Amino acid sequence: MVQKDFLIVFLTRGLAAVVSLVISVVISRVYGPEGKGVYMYALASATLISLLYFSFHQSLITIKDRFKKCEIVSTAYTIYILASGSFAFITLVLFHELLLHVWLAISIFGLLLWSTFCQFHDNVLQYNLVFLVSKTCLLFVVLVSSGWEIEYLLWALVCANFSTPILVSLLSTFNWQLSFSKTIAKVIFANSFILHLSSISMMLINEYFAIYVGDKLGLYSLGIYDALKTIYSSLLLISVGILPYINAKAINLPRSDFKQVYLKVLLFSALLFVSLLVPINIFSAELVFLIFGETFADAVPLIGLVSFIGICIITNNLIGILWIINGHFRVATIITCILAFVFLVSLHILTPSTLEDALVLFSYFLLLLSLINFCYLSGYVFSKKYN
């Protein structure tokens, strides 16, 4: 069963990574660096707005063994409807110009929440089909809308996200009645931000950095950065896209099984990711021109730096898995939160004037985070073993 689940996860996530790469290539070639920057800026803003989901999702996983699945899902669905509807109305009244970003955020939030429902019903195939179908819908929209104004493309993205749960529902339906539990709601809100500050901090850094580049260095620079990011993030999705599934299973499985099966697969995928970066950097110019076109020539000198950022990210993910195995990650969470705050402050104090300077600062932050967490983890494991 474990091998079957892993095969499903890797196949669906791998196909989703390929589709994501195709989407990025089409948008880059049709709209150019600046149009790509507009697209990325909107997505980063929407993801920043919908960060609530990622703590929300982890909170649901944490409490799922304490209550009935149907009650948790129903309560979560009710909270989502009330929260997203109220948020959209308030934003419409107060900040009309942000309406597109808000609906984009709500569509992303709803799409991810639907995938959580799939996970709670222990349907691995359907859970991962949500991501694959959503990417395929977006690819279809991008291909059909090539040449449209970028704003229309973003609205089409909202529609594609909202249509995904409907399409997945045609494949398999859920049988549960809508209900609401005040006790579950209190536990969800009590656990959301407190338990998973580390992952929220990292997501905040990634999305805020994109917004900062777009605001301070221009949408052209953001488009160049996103094109480079697409190369390693597509590989990264294959390598660490299985992490949410691993985290969920790790809570209920014996630690020995987790170490013997999951960690080996994760290490193999990480090594695969790093090995694929070697030819990418050797043939960087040819690769960038072939994929994105000559308008992205400014991206070639930065591909090595962005690849290093990708290596740091996957290293942090591996260290996070090791923390889960050892069951002690409070200090690591504090370290991540402190360094994230320092990085945000550094961005505004140092105010990098070029994209290269901004990427160097970002890579220093990720490298420092990896080194500190690794040193603390090594010290913790050593002291636990010999004391």
Side-chain angles (χ1 to χ4, degrees), residues 269-342:
S269 59
L271 291 173
L272 177 64
F273 168 78
V274 174
S275 63
L276 289 174
L277 284 178
V278 175
I280 287 177
N281 281 271
I282 294 175
F283 304 102
S284 57
E286 294 84 354
L287 184 66
V288 170
F289 293 152
L290 176 65
I291 296 178
F292 301 107
E294 295 182 0
T295 55
F296 286 82
D298 291 338
V300 175
L302 302 175
I303 195 167
L305 187 56
V306 175
S307 299
F308 178 73
I309 290 175
I311 293 174
C312 290
I313 290 175
I314 199 170
T315 301
N316 276 308
N317 283 324
L318 285 171
I319 294 174
I321 289 295
L322 293 174
W323 276 119
I324 293 175
I325 292 175
N326 287 279
H328 180 74
F329 47 84
R330 290 183 179 179
V331 176
T333 298
I334 295 173
I335 292 172
T336 303
C337 293
I338 292 175
L339 288 181
F341 176 76
V342 171

Side-chain angles (χ1 to χ4, degrees), residues 42 205 283 346 363:
I205 288 299
F283 304 102
S346 301
S363 63

Side-chain angles (χ1 to χ4, degrees), residues 150-190:
I150 192 71
E151 183 178 352
Y152 296 141
L153 175 61
L154 294 172
W155 277 114
L157 172 59
V158 173
C159 296
N161 284 343
F162 276 126
S163 67
T164 299
I166 298 175
L167 295 175
V168 176
S169 297
L170 296 176
L171 301 176
S172 176
T173 57
F174 294 137
N175 296 315
W176 50 274
Q177 296 180 348
L178 186 62
S179 62
F180 184 78
S181 169
K182 293 182 179 179
T183 302
I184 294 176
K186 290 179 180 178
V187 174
I188 287 174
F189 283 113

